[in-house]
Structure formats: structure tokens, C-alpha cells
Amino acid sequence: MSTDDAAGTTDGDGPVDVLRYETEEGPVYRAAPAGDGEAIVAAHERELRKRRVGRLLATGSVVVAVVVTGAIMESVAVTVAGLLFVAVVHVSKDDADEAVPELVERNQFRRDAERAYDLEDG
């Protein structure tokens, strides 16, 4: 008997989609109900785009504030230093938490997926 739990994984031997998440420790494989894999990947991609747009807007706002502050203070040095700081912070942002999973198998029996991949609950 196949049931879905709150985490979206399936029990039993029904068909599943296998997703690979890249982590610092290496790839992690998770099972999702068959047919849901593409929707899960698409949801992660949408969320990543939202975060990137938000970060870009925030960075743009800070750049404008730095330029205006430099103009008010009539200081090129303050403007350049502020822009360099913003650039370093923006470029060094850690994107590790923004990984999008990859759909590696579709409609595979859970038993076969567990044999082929070290499936992790959650």
C-alpha cells in the first residue's frame, strides 16, 4: 500500500521520481511521488529567481544610496569605496542554500530507486 507522508515521500513500492540535491557533503537523493518531480524542480527554480531578483533590487538600492551619499559629501573616494564594498558583498554571497534539485529518474519503482540510489528521507 502506497501513502504520501507530510514530507512528500512515498512508502511502499509504488512509483517515485528521484531528485538529486547537491550539498557540500556530496549528492543527496530523495524520492517524490511519481509525476511530482518536475513540479518540485520548477518550484525550486521559481524560488531561486525570486531570491536573485530581490538581492539584485537590494543591491541596486544600496548602490544608489552610496552614489547619492558620495555626491552629497562631494567625495569620489567615499563613492568608490562604497561601491567596491557593495560589489564584494554581492559577489561573495553564498549560493549554497539556493541549489535546485535535478530530476534524475521518473516513474521508477521505489524498490529499484533504493537499490540504485542511497535515498534519504525528508
Side-chain angles (χ1 to χ4, degrees), residues 80-93:
V80 171
L83 292 175
L84 285 174
F85 177 76
V86 169
V88 168
V89 169
H90 183 74
V91 170
S92 67
K93 170 70 173 116

Side-chain angles (χ1 to χ4, degrees), residues 20-23 25-29 118:
R20 178 177 53 221
Y21 294 80
E22 291 298 330
T23 67
E25 294 81 30
V28 173
Y29 296 93
D118 184 21

Side-chain angles (χ1 to χ4, degrees), residues 33-117:
D36 288 354
E38 288 181 11
I40 292 169
V41 171
H44 279 274
E45 289 172 343
R46 277 191 309 274
E47 185 62 30
L48 178 59
R49 276 193 300 275
K50 283 183 193 176
R51 284 189 208 155
R52 286 184 176 163
V53 167
R55 188 177 348 143
L56 186 60
L57 290 173
T59 301
S61 298
V62 171
V63 166
V64 168
V66 165
V67 170
V68 168
T69 301
I72 290 172
M73 295 177 65
E74 297 179 357
S75 173
V76 174
V78 168
T79 303
V80 171
L83 292 175
L84 285 174
F85 177 76
V86 169
V88 168
V89 169
H90 183 74
V91 170
S92 67
K93 170 70 173 116
D94 184 19
D95 288 341
D97 61 334
E98 298 180 1
V100 174
E102 179 183 355
L103 180 60
V104 294
E105 293 285 345
R106 289 185 176 98
N107 289 327
Q108 187 175 40
F109 284 112
R110 184 172 183 91
R111 174 187 63 237
D112 296 333
E114 287 174 343
R115 286 185 196 141
Y117 304 100

